[in-house]
Structure formats: structure tokens, C-alpha cells
Amino acid sequence: MPKNRLAAFFPRLCTAVLAAAFMAAASLTAPVSAAMLNLHNGGDPASLDPHKVSGDWENRIVGDIFEGLTTEDVEAKPIAGQAESWTISDDGLVYTFKLRDNANWSDGQPVTAGDFVFAFQRIMNPATAAEYAYLQFPIKNAEAINSGTITDLEQLGAKALDDKTLEITLERPTPFFLGALTHYTAYPVPKHVVEAKGNDWVKIENIVVNGPYKPVEWIPGAHVTTTKNDLYYDVANLKIDGVKFFVLEDQAAALKRYRAGEFDILTDFPKDQYQWLQENHPGEARVAPFAGLYYYVFNHRKPPFDDARVRKALSMAINREVIGPQILGTGELPAYSWVPPGMANSGESAEVDWAEMPYPEKVEMAKSLIAEAGYGKDNPLKVTLRYNTSDNHKRVAVAIAAMWKALGVEAKLFNSELKVHYAEIRKGEFDVARAGWLADYNDPVNFLDLLKGGTGNNYGAYSSPEFDKVMDQAAMETDQEKRAVLLTQAERIAMDDNAAAPIYFYLSENVVSPKIKGFEDNAFDIHRTRWLSKEE
């Protein structure tokens, strides 16, 4: 190349190299594109107030924006949360928690022991009408305050020793208490905001939170959007920048959107598509054992469901062995007891006494029981069976209605969206209704409390003084082996009464994009966003 042409080219070469170097350097300092998690969340949240929610679809949101004294690790086991440490007295009654110095609300105010005291008093106050308050009844005087027997909230066993030291005194030693503190019923609420804004404190423009993420948009019926909480003590390790929790109860539509790349995670899917998912999206459909119970609840408030013979007949006629493998296709285990297998602190399983009978014999006995109760061809038992909108729930309901037809029972199916469904069955507006329970902590009491008199989630209003007495005895028993025996005894009483009809034990069923890392199957199906990452 002639010298003059090289000389003419050299300035242009230098300019190009410098420009490229500048662009490379800029790319190192420029922010990467936000890693937003698009999550199919199912139902529409009733609230973002941890004292006003009760479902797993709400837990996924509320558990991202608030944090308790303890929280869940990637396997859903309790670890330190807002409390950095704690001590437990020798008698197991007094827990003393030291809060993190850098535990702050999203408005910059420190999270204090007083905020926790305020929250515990608020959820126990009968005026709050928190249906899930009973989960924290291990705290001294909690049940008495919640029932109105004690009216002085200061008598609750939660005291602020100073701004960063909280003392909780229990009624009796409670082996699952640290696990129960991971639950949203034990989350703090910002006293300074609640007192200033009243019930409006949870509006997007007002809400103040202490979890890894904070809500920035809530469009009822559509989605809730969150972003990182910059004042969270572990914000530096958050790999997801925010989450869009989509409201969508149509599982078939959700799967289509997942296939189109609109969703990163499905929290449920049409079970008849499981085989297709395995073949076309290998490794993405995640099915794992799960501490949960799918059941039908009878309305004990109205005849003939207050008749044990009718309840037993309807339960016996359900062919549980075909539901998991054939009706659903994902292999759920048939349930003949109330407490899922493998729960900690459990004793012997208390199955119904007809569990091992051949199904044809069950049907014949069920027919006899229905006849004894006064129903038959000339007087068919007419039942309205309620379920919340879901292809899977519909499949189960259609199958069970067909099984009941063999008894001469005429079942009318009625579905409604999730929020309406649970609101109606809590009011007693049903004959038989689908329900489900997912473990909040690893102890049989979490399931057995669903059948205790006066409990908010005892949808069927089952009432057995004998059952309640044994449950109270178990609550007072400090010997764990004796306690397990009592809990089994209580379960057997309820199963002998056919208080409700357990149908199958859940499997967690998620579909997770290969882009998502850190999603670990666990027995509680809790997957906090703080442990996840997303690769583009």
C-alpha cells in the first residue's frame, strides 16, 4: 500500500478502534436488561394485606413483598429472616428474637420489634376478622384475645424489649413454631403507615413493605407487578428484578401463553397435557410429592349432610384409585386419611375403616346407607357440587358425579371463580364443595385444625366435642410421642364421622422454563423469587 494512502487510512483506523473500545467500555457499565419474571399465578388476590389473605396464589405475592422473623430457604425450610438470631428458653416457652440492624421498611423507616407486636395484636383483634389468625394461637393468650375472652391486646405474649428485640411467650412448647413464623400470619405490618392510612394502607400509592420486592402496580383481574426493594437487607443478591403475577384461571390458556413465551412459570397446568409436556417440553413439567390434601367438604349446617350415613355413602362411592392415574393422569395418591403421609410429629395414619374394601363392595354398602337415610329411586338425593373454575377440578367433579349416579344421587355441578367460590363456602352457601389445603408448616395440626369447631377454615362447620377435646389435649401435651398418639386419635374420630371426604394427596405441578434457574421442588411448593434467576 502506498505511503500516502496508508497515512490517509491511519486516522480513520484509530478513530474506529477508539469508538469500538468506547462502546465496549460503555457496555460494561450500562445496566443489563431487566430480568422480569412472568408468572402464571392463577386466582385474583383478595388483598396485599397479610392479615386479609388465605390462598397459595396470594402467598406467592405477599411472601415476596413481606418477610417474617423467619423465612423460607430454597427448600422451604425455615431460616433467619428479619430476625438475625434467636434464643429459646429451656422450657420451650420463651423465644427472644434479635432483629437485623439493617431491617428496614421500603420507605426507609426501620423495622422494629414494635411493628411485630402491632401486627400480632392486629391479627388477633376480633375486629380485624382475620380468618387465618388461629395459625398463631400458640402465642400466649392469642386464642383468648381472638375469641374476645380477653379484651386487652397488651395481654398477648408478644413484647418489644427494645426496638430490635422481640420476646414471644407461648402457651405451651410448640415444636413447629419457627416454621409457623415463616407464614404470612406472622409478617409484620408498618405501624406508622397503618395508623396513618387505615384500610387504605395497602393501596399501591401507600403500601410500605419489608420483603425483597415491593408492589408497583395492581390491576385487579389482570396482574400484580413488583420490583426490587432497594432497602431490603439482601437486595445485592437478588437476580430477578421484578415479577408480574398474572391472574388467569384458565389453565389451557395459560399453557398456550407459556408455549408462546409469555410466561416463565406455570403454577398449574391441564393434567391431560402432562404426557404432551413430557414429550414436547422434557424436564419442564415439574411433578413432585407435596404436603397437601384435595378434598370435598360436606355442609354440616343443613340436612341431609348432617347425617353421617349420607356423608359416608357419598365418600365411599368415590373411586379414588382411578382419579390420579386416569381422570387426571398425573398419578396423585388416593387419600383415605386426613393428614398427608410424611408430616413431621405424626403418629400412625388414621384411615377410614373401609379403605381396603374392593370398590364394588363400597358401592353396595353406600347404596344401603343412602337407602337407610331415606333416599332412593322414588326420592333421589339431589346434591349441588361446587368447585372453583379449573379444567382439573371440573374433570374430578364430572367423574365423581358419575360415580354418585350409581347410588341414585343426582349431582348438579356449579362452578365459580376462585374468590367467589371460597367466599360462598365460608358463608355456608353449598351442599358439597371442592376444597384443598396446602401445608403451612410441617405438623399434623395444620390439617386437623381444619375440622376443629369455630376455626375459620372449617368450611363445612363440622362440630365434634370429642374431636375438639382430644385436639385440646394434644395441644397441652409436651411429650411428643404422646402428642402424636392424641393427634392420630383425633384424626380417627373425624374419619369415623366422615367429617369430610379426602380424595387425593397433592402433587406439586409446575411448568418451569429452562431460562429459570434455582427452582427447587419441595414438599411445600414454595419458591420465593429471591432464590431464582433468569437467563435470556
Side-chain angles (χ1 to χ4, degrees):
M1 180 179 291
K3 185 177 179 180
N4 61 338
R5 293 189 63 185
L6 181 60
F9 175 71
F10 187 75
R12 295 198 298 273
L13 178 63
C14 290
T15 302
V17 170
L18 288 171
F22 177 81
M23 291 176 65
S27 69
L28 292 174
T29 57
V32 296
S33 59
M36 287 295 295
L37 178 68
N38 295 306
L39 186 139
H40 157 243
N41 197 39
D44 199 6
S47 177
L48 300 183
D49 184 335
H51 297 165
K52 301 290 186 179
V53 298
S54 62
D56 62 330
W57 63 100
E58 294 159 332
N59 180 23
R60 281 188 282 268
I61 302 171
V62 173
D64 259 10
I65 62 177
F66 290 95
E67 186 175 88
L69 294 163
T70 59
T71 187
E72 305 94 345
D73 68 7
V74 69
E75 296 178 342
K77 295 177 181 176
I79 59 171
Q82 295 287 287
E84 64 180 9
S85 63
W86 54 84
T87 59
I88 306 172
S89 63
D90 292 341
D91 61 6
L93 293 178
V94 181
Y95 288 63
T96 305
F97 296 90
K98 184 67 177 176
L99 303 189
R100 298 176 186 272
D101 289 335
N102 57 347
N104 293 303
W105 293 105
S106 54
D107 64 354
Q109 292 294 313
V111 175
T112 68
D115 289 317
F116 278 95
V117 172
F118 177 76
F120 281 124
Q121 291 181 353
R122 179 176 183 259
I123 196 170
M124 291 307 156
N125 189 336
T128 305
E131 294 170 352
Y132 224 167
Y134 70 86
L135 200 63
Q136 301 303 331
F137 279 1
I139 299 174
K140 187 173 181 62
N141 292 331
E143 186 171 7
I145 290 171
N146 190 245
S147 66
T149 305
I150 294 177
T151 57
D152 181 6
L153 297 177
E154 295 297 324
Q155 295 301 309
L156 185 66
K159 308 293 180 187
L161 302 185
D162 57 46
D163 280 352
K164 290 294 184 177
T165 309
L166 175 69
E167 180 184 87
I168 297 180
T169 303
L170 306 186
E171 290 280 359
R172 60 196 65 87
T174 304
F176 56 83
F177 187 60
L178 290 175
L181 290 178
T182 67
H183 194 263
Y184 46 81
T185 50
Y187 291 169
V189 294
K191 180 180 179 181
H192 62 291
V193 180
V194 177
E195 290 183 338
K197 300 294 184 179
N199 290 334
D200 289 341
W201 81 274
V202 288
K203 290 184 175 181
I204 289 297
E205 61 270 24
N206 297 330
I207 192 167
V208 170
V209 298
N210 72 323
Y213 295 88
K214 58 184 179 182
V216 292
E217 183 181 48
W218 180 14
I219 300 178
H223 59 259
V224 173
T225 305
T226 65
T227 190
K228 283 183 183 179
N229 174 9
D230 291 335
L231 294 180
Y232 182 63
Y233 61 85
D234 197 35
V235 66
N237 290 314
L238 300 182
K239 297 179 176 64
I240 298 291
D241 294 291
V243 186
K244 200 165 189 176
F245 296 89
F246 286 89
V247 176
L248 182 58
E249 296 184 44
D250 184 335
Q251 294 160 343
L255 180 56
K256 288 179 181 177
R257 294 181 67 174
Y258 175 84
R259 292 175 60 190
E262 296 179 43
F263 292 158
D264 299 310
I265 295 175
L266 301 183
T267 55
D268 204 352
F269 59 86
K271 295 178 189 289
D272 62 350
Q273 296 298 303
Y274 180 51
Q275 190 63 38
W276 183 91
L277 281 164
Q278 287 182 304
E279 293 170 358
N280 294 276
H281 293 267
E284 295 176 40
R286 311 280 286 266
V287 176
F290 183 25
L293 174 68
Y294 189 106
Y295 64 103
Y296 276 4
V297 59
F298 303 115
N299 192 346
H300 291 252
R301 306 171 185 86
K302 58 191 291 189
F305 309 103
D306 57 348
D307 187 329
R309 295 169 300 182
V310 171
R311 299 194 301 269
K312 184 174 183 179
L314 293 175
S315 187
M316 289 186 80
I318 299 172
N319 190 351
R320 292 158 174 81
E321 273 69 25
V322 305
I323 289 176
Q326 297 178 31
I327 306 302
L328 298 175
T330 36
E332 285 79 358
L333 295 175
Y336 291 100
S337 59
W338 196 249
V339 177
M343 294 295 289
N345 311 312
S346 289
E348 187 179 333
S349 178
E351 291 189 337
V352 292
D353 57 10
W354 43 265
E356 300 300 324
M357 288 176 62
Y359 182 66
E361 292 182 21
K362 292 177 184 175
V363 173
E364 290 307 310
M365 181 177 285
K367 287 179 180 178
S368 298
L369 289 166
I370 283 288
E372 285 178 23
Y375 296 95
K377 290 183 179 179
D378 297 333
N379 183 32
L381 173 59
K382 297 181 179 181
V383 177
T384 298
L385 173 56
R386 294 193 65 133
Y387 64 94
N388 54 291
T389 303
S390 158
D391 291 340
N392 297 331
H393 300 331
K394 182 177 180 179
R395 286 190 194 94
V396 174
V398 168
I400 290 177
M403 295 169 191
W404 285 347
K405 196 170 184 179
L407 310 182
V409 174
E410 298 176 4
K412 176 185 176 183
L413 304 188
F414 184 89
N415 79 289
S416 55
E417 66 173 0
L418 189 144
K419 281 200 301 187
V420 173
H421 174 77
Y422 276 103
E424 290 298 298
I425 68 174
R426 282 193 175 96
K427 291 189 296 185
E429 299 293 333
F430 71 97
D431 294 339
V432 182
R434 175 264 159 190
W437 194 258
L438 315 179
D440 300 305
Y441 52 85
N442 198 357
D443 192 271
V445 164
N446 192 217
F447 288 88
L448 293 171
D449 270 347
L450 298 173
L451 300 174
K452 195 172 181 186
T455 299
N457 292 316
N458 182 354
Y459 307 124
Y462 170 66
S463 179
S464 166
E466 184 183 8
F467 175 87
D468 291 351
K469 180 182 177 180
V470 176
M471 287 292 290
D472 288 341
Q473 290 173 344
M476 297 299 294
E477 181 57 66
T478 57
D479 183 303
Q480 293 309 308
E481 290 186 5
K482 293 179 180 178
R483 176 178 180 269
V485 170
L486 287 168
L487 292 177
T488 297
Q489 183 182 339
E491 183 180 13
R492 183 159 285 116
I493 291 168
M495 292 298 92
D496 287 347
D497 279 351
N498 290 277
I503 297 175
Y504 62 78
F505 295 118
Y506 274 109
L507 297 173
S508 61
E509 293 160 359
N510 301 284
V511 183
V512 183
S513 166
K515 296 179 181 179
I516 303 302
K517 307 301 179 185
F519 188 102
E520 296 288 340
D521 295 322
N522 61 70
F524 293 85
D525 199 27
I526 292 177
H527 311 277
R528 297 302 181 204
T529 306
R530 68 179 290 199
W531 308 119
L532 304 180
S533 61
K534 181 177 178 179
E535 297 177 354
E536 294 295 346

